Amino acid sequence: MSIHQRLAALGALAESSVLKAAMALPESVQARLVGKPVVLDGQTLATETQLLLAMQRLAPLPGAETLPIPEGRKVVLHQSALAAGDQPIGAVRDLPVGGLPGRLYTGSSAGATSPLLLFLHGGGFMYGDLDSHDASCRLLAERAGIRVLAVDYRMGPEDPFPAAYDDAVAAFEWVVAHASSIGADPDRLAVGGDSAGGNLAAGVAIHAAREGLPLAFQLLVYPMTDAEHPTRSFELFQEGFYLTKAFMDLANECYLPPGQDLRDPRISVIHADLPAGLAPAYVVTAGFDPLRDEGEAYARKLADAGVEVELQRFPDQIHSFFNIVGVGRRSPAAVAEIAAKTGAALHR
């Protein structure tokens, strides 16, 4: 390891230590540090999240969306690692999922055969990979007592729409065909994801229902459901709460070809004709998230179509809280609740 690599490693360790210490402070101390609470749309931002955002503004790294894509990907991975912590897991191994990289997590309490959730990571169809969501997948598998198979799909700008959608569908079809070889109960297969991954998971669920493929559950964590974002939450929270308008504009620019119809249901599932037989859904939103209202609108659309739906808003959270599992209290507790409800749904 070169001296530059050593210095970089020491800097990252110091940054992680400072963040962990700040997020572990008593809430009363955090409140004194951040000042007046953030209250918007009848919701109060979690104090620790307010502190996290303040620390992010002081950090030397710019927002990922302000950088060239390769550098932005490194920033996203760095941010994820800072909030990841050391998450226990029964077993983990990399394996190919068709032609895609995959990583299989097996919870300690999962038996020789268990429910399996195909997980599709978020990142605006341009950022994210198996490592950016490794900690969240570990927690999900361990706390839910299931297997989680994460897949690294193609992204823009190198591979624009419909590459990510096609990969997500192909990955699920691979899971159906190879369930027994990876210890998955074919009657308890699920699909899930966060943000862009939630969008892909919703698309996979629709495909599964249309094709008669077995799917027992869909987990949609603050999913992007409408590429036009015509909502009040988009207007309220597009600046200052991690996910910005600039990020979402860049996501559309990178992933969608010029002239692409934003209402194509493979992009905007809110415009899909929902088939009969859709799997039960657990839809999670965050109070201070530009995508909040479109996620909740899709939950209502599912319910109106007769789908069994549980909608849960974590009102004090921001977009990307699903990745904050190793620091603080409120966000890890929310993710633990998501895992518990996922496990309950798949084990019943």
Side-chain angles (χ1 to χ4, degrees):
M1 181 183 290
S2 70
I3 185 63
H4 297 293
Q5 290 172 320
R6 291 177 185 272
L7 288 172
L10 287 172
L13 179 61
E15 187 179 3
S16 177
S17 298
V18 169
L19 176 62
K20 187 174 182 179
M23 295 290 279
L25 290 170
E27 186 173 356
S28 59
V29 176
Q30 293 176 341
R32 289 198 294 272
L33 289 173
V34 298
K36 185 179 179 181
V38 176
V39 180
L40 192 57
D41 200 30
Q43 306 168 131
T44 302
L45 185 66
T47 305
E48 66 181 32
T49 304
Q50 189 178 349
L51 177 60
L52 179 65
L53 291 171
M55 294 178 70
Q56 183 186 32
R57 288 191 290 271
L58 295 173
L61 287 175
E65 68 271 25
T66 68
L67 300 169
I69 294 298
E71 284 71 26
R73 287 172 178 162
K74 293 177 183 177
V75 168
V76 169
L77 185 58
H78 176 74
Q79 291 172 334
S80 297
L82 287 176
D86 185 13
Q87 304 302 321
I89 186 65
V92 59
R93 65 183 175 97
D94 290 346
L95 77 165
V97 178
L100 302 171
R103 185 172 295 167
L104 180 64
Y105 305 84
T106 303
S108 298
S109 63
T113 301
S114 73
L116 180 139
L117 182 140
L118 173 69
F119 184 83
L120 303 159
H121 66 78
F125 306 103
M126 57 184 174
Y127 303 134
D129 56 21
L130 297 179
D131 292 331
S132 67
H133 287 65
D134 181 76
S136 300
C137 287
R138 286 170 180 259
L139 189 150
L140 189 58
E142 190 69 15
R143 298 290 184 93
I146 63 174
R147 284 171 168 78
V148 172
L149 178 60
V151 172
D152 200 6
Y153 53 85
R154 290 174 294 166
M155 300 185 294
E158 298 89 345
D159 295 290
F161 172 81
Y165 173 84
D166 290 345
D167 284 355
V169 167
F172 182 71
E173 292 181 341
W174 184 94
V175 167
V176 172
H178 297 84
S180 60
S181 69
I182 53 176
D185 181 345
D187 293 325
R188 292 184 292 170
L189 300 178
V191 65
D194 66 311
S195 195
N199 170 279
L200 295 172
V204 167
I206 292 170
H207 173 81
R210 285 180 178 153
E211 298 300 317
L213 299 174
L215 185 66
F217 180 72
Q218 49 180 318
L219 169 65
L220 311 180
V221 180
Y222 40 72
M224 190 284 281
T225 69
D226 191 336
E228 294 177 302
H229 311 300
T231 63
R232 184 166 179 268
S233 65
F234 180 84
E235 297 299 326
L236 285 174
F237 307 116
Q238 64 180 252
E239 299 296 336
F241 299 101
Y242 185 72
L243 180 62
T244 64
K245 181 179 184 299
F247 185 108
M248 289 181 280
D249 287 346
L250 181 62
N252 280 4
E253 178 186 329
C254 284
Y255 183 57
L256 303 179
Q260 174 64 48
D261 179 10
L262 298 183
R263 296 194 166 202
D264 187 312
R266 295 171 298 171
I267 302 166
S268 298
V269 291
I270 197 73
H271 297 299
D273 293 327
L274 299 182
L278 270 172
Y282 176 34
V283 182
V284 174
T285 62
F288 288 79
D289 182 358
L291 301 187
R292 183 194 71 190
D293 290 356
E294 64 190 72
E296 295 179 1
Y298 187 63
R300 291 191 295 270
K301 180 182 177 77
L302 290 172
D304 290 344
V307 179
E308 180 184 341
V309 180
E310 179 179 356
L311 169 63
Q312 181 167 12
R313 179 194 296 186
F314 290 93
D316 63 354
Q317 295 296 300
I318 59 171
H319 194 87
S320 203
F321 80 83
F322 189 71
N323 289 89
I324 306 174
V325 295
V327 296
R329 293 172 288 269
R330 303 284 293 184
S331 297
V335 181
E337 185 173 346
I338 292 169
K341 290 193 175 183
T342 299
L346 288 172
H347 285 293
R348 68 185 177 186

